[in-house]
Amino acid sequence: MGRPAHRLHPGSAVARLSRRAPRYLHGTVIPEVKSHGFNSADVWEVAVDAGAIQTDEDAQLVGGPVGIYGAKRVKGELSGKWRCFPISLRSSLVHALHNSCCRKKSTAPEKIIPSVGLCDENTRESGNALDKLFSSEQQASILQVLNTASNKELETFRLLRGRKSINIIEHREKFGPFQNLESLMNVPLFQYKTTIQVCNSILCPETRGEKRKFQDNRLLRKLIKPEIKRERLKAVNSIVSIVFGTRRIAWAHLDRKLAVLDWQQSECRQLMKGTYLSSVYLQEISSVISKMPNSDFYVLEKIGLSIQNSSRFPVVLHFHIMEAMLYALLNKTFAQDGQHRVLSMNRNGVGKHLDLMVGDARTSGKELVKQLLAESVLKEEPRVRFPSDKIVRYRQMFAATEQQRAEEFYDSLLQAVAFYELAVFDTEP
């Protein structure tokens, strides 16, 4: 049997890609065909006509339909090859696919006009559903906004920012005022669900407080994992901020007034030696946790090191082991009422808040900590309060770490400050 009459042009991009190997169909050919507006049925046409369907596995990979989409799959009993039996091409999309693949480069692209008969029933059902969702008074209020608001006024609604508001203005100028909610679905970018969301946002616009609350929640979701309810953050009385490196673990215990209740670091020199023995990690981390006080939250520093760089793999593996063990042991040790008490805080988010970022890299917090220690003595209202009976000891600890580059020690304090200023104080009314 011969090929169907709608053979692909040998030089077309789709034909060239299809001949490479069937596995390219999902990764390259299908996206290319679909980018022209065709569906999976048309992809089957391309695959069959380009000779990319040779086995049952190839056919399953493409997921091609049988019969009505332009080809029947018949496996030869002797040769085991796939053969095509052409039938009449009924779909306008198949004609369009044939034209787009076989036309010359200089030919202007044809405009594909969607069939009204296919979508008329769906459109009618959507329009009827919109009428049932909103009362006549609500519909009148929505239409009043859509027909009279300027582009700037429309953009005050979060769902109408950008191209959507422009499309409404252009549609209004071209076709006149909207007569009903159903006509809004004729505007580009407005599907049924989008139309409902837009109508609801017009009826119940966000206040400034709600907008800020939305922005705060979005920032907190990026900064702190897992997500914690605002009520729990408001009720925080104290936290323990924990930062770990390759050789040491440091932690700072601060209360709601940003008073330093305790601040320590422990050397853990056996962690990255040998083959990352779990027993060594368990012993070292358990020893550090045994010194920590009870607190509302335990905040771990989250370092975003990429595992793509193979030279960093030992360090990345170490950090993942540390984080997993700290999560497990802290929750087990300080569990209360079944509530999660261990959080991760993005390292770069803290750096941005404290102006410690240079490009994408975070610089040392040593000078900032030195400044906080000085302010606690010189200012009446310092940013961080160090108890008078401990300030001398903390200054001595800081001086002892200056030659060691003990960044974990500095960062544990700074992370606690950033947590209160970003997650607790900013969420208060």
Side-chain angles (χ1 to χ4, degrees), residues 286-355:
S286 298
S287 175
V288 174
I289 290 178
S290 65
K291 303 173 186 177
M292 293 182 183
N294 191 23
S295 185
D296 294 316
F297 287 113
Y298 298 84
V299 185
L300 307 180
E301 182 183 64
K302 183 69 174 179
I303 301 176
L305 287 177
S306 173
I307 61 174
Q308 302 299 325
N309 190 338
S310 58
S311 64
R312 291 182 177 179
F313 180 74
V315 177
V316 175
L317 176 61
H318 164 76
F319 282 136
H320 279 292
I321 295 174
M322 291 286 291
E323 185 178 18
M325 283 206 168
L326 282 167
Y327 258 100
L329 295 175
L330 284 169
N331 269 321
K332 181 180 178 181
T333 305
F334 299 106
Q336 184 178 3
D337 301 329
Q339 291 186 325
H340 198 83
R341 303 178 70 183
V342 184
L343 308 175
S344 289
M345 193 166 185
N346 184 276
R347 173 179 170 83
N348 286 349
V350 174
K352 290 176 182 177
H353 175 67
L354 300 174
D355 295 326

Side-chain angles (χ1 to χ4, degrees), residues 91 142 292 380:
S91 171
I142 296 169
M292 293 182 183
E380 292 184 4

Side-chain angles (χ1 to χ4, degrees), residues 40 89 116 126 128 136 157 159 161-162 196 237 291 296 304 350:
S40 57
L89 301 177
V116 177
S126 299
N128 293 336
S136 56
F157 301 98
L159 295 177
R161 292 172 188 165
I196 293 177
N237 289 316
K291 303 173 186 177
D296 294 316
V350 174

Side-chain angles (χ1 to χ4, degrees), residues 225-425:
K225 301 290 183 181
E227 187 175 348
I228 296 295
K229 293 182 179 180
R230 295 166 65 90
E231 292 75 14
R232 288 190 65 190
L233 291 174
K234 288 181 180 180
V236 167
N237 289 316
S238 71
I239 66 165
V240 173
S241 169
I242 305 168
V243 176
F244 50 87
T246 57
R247 292 289 184 269
R248 61 178 64 90
I249 302 176
W251 55 273
H253 185 205
L254 273 71
D255 67 10
R256 190 182 192 85
K257 297 179 180 179
L258 290 184
V260 180
L261 305 179
D262 203 351
W263 189 19
Q264 297 186 25
Q265 71 170 356
S266 299
E267 298 291 333
C268 305
R269 299 187 178 278
Q270 302 299 319
L271 291 180
M272 290 190 66
K273 288 186 177 181
T275 56
Y276 299 90
L277 292 175
S278 300
S279 57
V280 175
Y281 277 88
L282 179 62
Q283 181 179 356
E284 294 280 4
I285 295 174
S286 298
S287 175
V288 174
I289 290 178
S290 65
K291 303 173 186 177
M292 293 182 183
N294 191 23
S295 185
D296 294 316
F297 287 113
Y298 298 84
V299 185
L300 307 180
E301 182 183 64
K302 183 69 174 179
I303 301 176
L305 287 177
S306 173
I307 61 174
Q308 302 299 325
N309 190 338
S310 58
S311 64
R312 291 182 177 179
F313 180 74
V315 177
V316 175
L317 176 61
H318 164 76
F319 282 136
H320 279 292
I321 295 174
M322 291 286 291
E323 185 178 18
M325 283 206 168
L326 282 167
Y327 258 100
L329 295 175
L330 284 169
N331 269 321
K332 181 180 178 181
T333 305
F334 299 106
Q336 184 178 3
D337 301 329
Q339 291 186 325
H340 198 83
R341 303 178 70 183
V342 184
L343 308 175
S344 289
M345 193 166 185
N346 184 276
R347 173 179 170 83
N348 286 349
V350 174
K352 290 176 182 177
H353 175 67
L354 300 174
D355 295 326
L356 295 176
M357 301 297 294
V358 177
D360 294 331
R362 179 170 158 177
T363 60
S364 173
K366 173 183 171 183
E367 293 302 320
L368 180 55
V369 171
K370 189 175 183 179
Q371 178 183 336
L372 294 176
L373 285 166
E375 288 179 354
S376 67
V377 177
L378 301 176
K379 290 187 176 182
E380 292 184 4
E381 296 293 332
R383 189 174 185 180
V384 177
R385 299 175 182 275
F386 293 88
S388 56
D389 59 331
K390 295 182 179 180
I391 184 64
V392 175
R393 181 166 67 91
Y394 290 147
R395 290 174 69 92
Q396 291 174 347
M397 289 174 61
F398 178 83
T401 61
E402 285 192 281
Q403 303 300 324
Q404 304 173 11
R405 291 189 58 82
E407 296 298 332
E408 299 87 356
F409 186 63
Y410 314 139
D411 291 346
S412 61
L413 177 68
L414 297 178
Q415 180 175 259
V417 175
F419 180 87
Y420 276 111
E421 293 180 348
L422 289 173
V424 179
F425 301 154

Side-chain angles (χ1 to χ4, degrees), residues 145-152 154 163-179 183-184 186-188:
V145 172
L146 294 175
N147 289 328
T148 60
S150 64
N151 183 43
K152 188 175 182 180
L154 288 174
R163 189 64 202 176
K164 287 189 178 72
S165 62
I166 297 174
N167 288 346
I168 289 177
I169 299 295
E170 291 177 350
H171 187 276
R172 203 167 66 192
E173 293 174 350
K174 188 174 182 180
F175 300 101
F178 294 97
Q179 300 300 320
S183 59
L184 184 59
N186 296 326
V187 179

